[in-house]
Amino acid sequence: MDKSAAAADDVERGDYEHERTGTVWTATAHIVTAVIGSGVLALAWSVAQLGWVAGPLALAGFACVTYYTSTLLANAYRAPHPVTGDRNRTYMDAVRSYLSPREVFMCGIAQYVNLWGTMVGYTITATISMVAIRQSDCFHRNGAGASCDAPGTVMMLAFSVVQVVLSQFPGLEHITWLSVVAAVMSFAYSFIGLGLSVGHWVSQGAGLGGRVAGAAAASSTKKLWNVLLALGNIAFAYTFAEVLIEIQDTLKSPPAENKTMKKASMYGIGATTIFYISVGCAGYAAFGSNAPGNILTASGLGPYWLVDIANMCLILHLIGAYQVYAQPIFASVERWAASRWPEAKFINSAYTVSIPLMQRGSVTVAPYKLVLRTVIVVATTVVAMMIPFFNAVLGLLGAFSFWPLTVYFPISMHIAQCKITKGRKWYLLQGLSMICLMISVAVGIGSVTDIVGSLKVSSNPFKTIS
């Protein structure tokens, strides 16, 4: 099918709402931007809790599961046939095409809570990095004993103001440039973090720190919670299923979108896994059982200016990654508002604003989009101020998103699409789903326990805890 015929078919179905020009490389950039984020910073700590054997195996295992289920989800972009069927523009649309209304409702809750929760996590992480940069510069100027408290709330508000501005872009297809920049930044701080960890390891004599069984804890119960939290961090570090369909909806056709998306998933997850194992193992080798929750806050990691550059790259990456997760929420809320009040003047109004320095000379501003998107960003910031617990938040997000979004729905849609009946393949798929469910439940219990314990120690809004 040529491009004009494909476009005509899309118009006939009523689903050609934007120009799709994405390629395997732009999709890979979106994936890397979405996947490599705050989760990478906790990998050294996570490997430290699991040990030299279980740590790398857990990283490889989650990567394999994520890649396999992402290929199943890519096939669900069109229905009923993965190549010639009607487009599903969102994850919920795909679930609606194959599964029951009850499962559509469950999917909506899981997807949008996780998207929003990830925005909360990214806000916390970006603020921690901004605070770290300010404190590092203060200590360098005034000495290690200086009082260098940084205004975390102000930093968080500054990050949120940037997000309010970027949120006015209409959708993901309009911010590919931001994802490309963010992807480059993710590689930059991953390389810097890896290099600094290796450098610290060499400076300490190049001996392997830590133990095969992982870091010791005050009690067996605390050790169990730490292991579960580590698994949650790893699960969160690989999660991108909730935006996969939205990313696939930016791809041009031909070639078939599912084939392009499978290649992009392989490239994105493959590159990510190499970084994750390298960063996690290097950080554990360098700091042993004392590996911090955020590797860039490790004591003795330096030189300080290079750590500052890494934190700056992280901030720039999270600025872009935040939008990858936020844009699907914006689009969903706006579609709901438009369908709920179709005749409302406020919702249907738009104004053209002239901007001399822009190439097009003007932009279209919709007041209701400005208000809705600003409210969502503000609500995200308020929640981030209330629960600034880095590791626990990442673990809870990983627990909540991994099984339903990464495993259950892709497998269930694959079974429905291919009409798989009870047999060897059916039982294997259901077995994989059940194993992942048990992991998610256990991780969720551990994460909630850690958050409750942290709130008892400190309930002050924004006081960064890594």
Side-chain angles (χ1 to χ4, degrees):
M1 182 182 292
D2 61 23
K3 291 183 180 180
S4 60
D9 285 349
D10 290 335
V11 172
E12 184 178 347
R13 297 184 190 117
D15 63 0
Y16 189 72
E17 300 178 20
H18 63 264
E19 184 181 6
R20 297 175 175 89
T21 59
T23 66
V24 64
W25 300 115
T26 62
T28 301
H30 283 311
I31 291 171
V32 171
T33 300
V35 176
I36 300 183
S38 52
V40 70
L41 304 176
L43 292 181
W45 182 88
S46 299
V47 173
Q49 308 313 308
L50 297 170
W52 279 115
V53 176
L57 285 178
L59 286 166
F62 276 98
C64 291
V65 171
T66 301
Y67 171 68
Y68 175 66
T69 57
S70 70
T71 64
L72 304 184
L73 187 55
N75 286 335
Y77 172 64
R78 287 183 180 267
H81 192 275
V83 177
T84 61
D86 294 343
R87 293 180 188 273
N88 293 306
R89 295 200 59 200
T90 67
Y91 197 125
M92 285 184 65
D93 288 342
V95 174
R96 188 176 293 110
S97 296
Y98 291 102
L99 304 178
S100 68
R102 181 177 64 87
E103 288 170 304
V104 174
F105 178 74
M106 292 168 53
C107 173
I109 293 176
Q111 182 185 12
Y112 288 103
V113 168
N114 185 69
L115 286 170
W116 184 59
T118 302
M119 291 161 60
V120 172
Y122 283 178
T123 302
I124 294 171
T125 308
T127 306
I128 289 174
S129 291
M130 288 188 281
V131 169
I133 291 174
R134 177 155 181 162
Q135 289 180 332
S136 174
D137 293 341
C138 174
F139 287 136
H140 183 72
R141 290 194 309 268
N142 304 317
S147 177
C148 293
D149 290 335
T153 301
V154 174
M155 301 289 187
M156 185 175 284
L157 290 175
F159 179 80
S160 299
V161 168
V162 173
Q163 295 303 335
V164 168
V165 174
L166 292 175
S167 69
Q168 302 314 307
F169 282 96
L172 276 178
E173 66 274 8
H174 295 274
I175 56 172
T176 296
W177 61 271
L178 185 60
S179 282
V180 171
V181 171
V184 172
M185 293 299 101
S186 70
F187 280 104
Y189 71 73
S190 295
F191 272 122
I192 292 173
L194 175 61
L196 290 175
S197 295
V198 171
H200 187 81
W201 171 61
V202 172
S203 69
Q204 298 299 313
L208 289 181
R211 306 183 308 161
V212 172
S219 65
S220 58
T221 301
K222 180 61 176 176
K223 173 66 176 179
L224 175 62
W225 296 146
N226 287 345
V227 168
L228 293 176
L229 203 57
L231 292 174
N233 289 346
I234 294 173
F236 173 77
Y238 278 110
T239 298
F240 79 102
E242 61 269 39
V243 294
L244 186 148
I245 296 293
E246 282 80 358
I247 292 174
Q248 193 166 344
D249 193 48
T250 67
L251 298 177
K252 63 183 179 182
S253 176
E257 299 93 345
N258 66 328
K259 293 183 179 179
T260 302
M261 196 65 197
K262 289 176 183 179
K263 288 183 180 179
S265 297
M266 180 178 65
Y267 297 153
I269 295 174
T272 297
T273 302
I274 293 172
F275 274 118
Y276 280 2
I277 292 178
S278 299
V279 172
C281 292
Y284 188 33
F287 298 100
S289 298
N290 295 321
N294 181 339
I295 192 64
L296 294 181
T297 64
S299 177
L301 194 68
Y304 86 96
W305 57 268
L306 193 54
V307 176
D308 285 352
I309 290 175
N311 276 305
M312 184 58 67
C313 290
L314 173 63
I315 294 167
L316 293 175
H317 172 261
L318 293 179
I319 287 173
Y322 185 105
Q323 288 299 314
V324 171
Y325 284 87
Q327 288 293 336
I329 293 181
F330 298 152
S332 179
V333 173
E334 288 159 9
R335 283 195 297 269
W336 173 82
S339 63
R340 179 68 175 81
W341 298 287
E343 305 298 328
K345 183 178 180 180
F346 178 68
I347 290 179
N348 294 302
S349 61
Y351 303 91
T352 300
V353 179
S354 298
I355 302 180
L357 296 180
M358 284 191 63
Q359 184 177 1
R360 295 183 179 180
S362 64
V363 295
T364 301
V365 178
Y368 93 98
K369 290 186 177 182
L370 176 63
V371 172
L372 281 176
R373 295 182 179 206
T374 300
V375 168
I376 292 172
V377 173
V378 170
T380 301
T381 305
V382 171
V383 173
M385 288 180 178
M386 294 172 63
I387 50 170
F389 309 117
F390 180 72
N391 269 341
V393 169
L394 296 192
L396 184 60
L397 289 172
F400 191 79
S401 65
F402 176 66
W403 177 71
L405 297 176
T406 302
V407 180
Y408 174 75
F409 288 116
I411 286 178
S412 297
M413 287 189 286
H414 176 66
I415 290 175
Q417 185 181 51
C418 298
K419 297 179 173 59
I420 300 174
T421 57
K422 286 188 177 181
R424 181 182 178 186
K425 186 174 183 180
W426 188 91
Y427 283 112
L428 287 174
L429 290 170
Q430 296 294 354
L432 173 62
S433 181
M434 288 304 299
I435 291 172
C436 293
L437 171 60
M438 289 187 289
I439 292 174
S440 286
V441 170
V443 169
I445 294 172
S447 299
V448 170
T449 301
D450 192 80
I451 289 176
V452 171
S454 298
L455 286 172
K456 290 179 180 179
V457 174
S458 174
S459 58
N460 295 328
F462 195 82
K463 191 171 183 179
T464 54
I465 297 177
S466 61

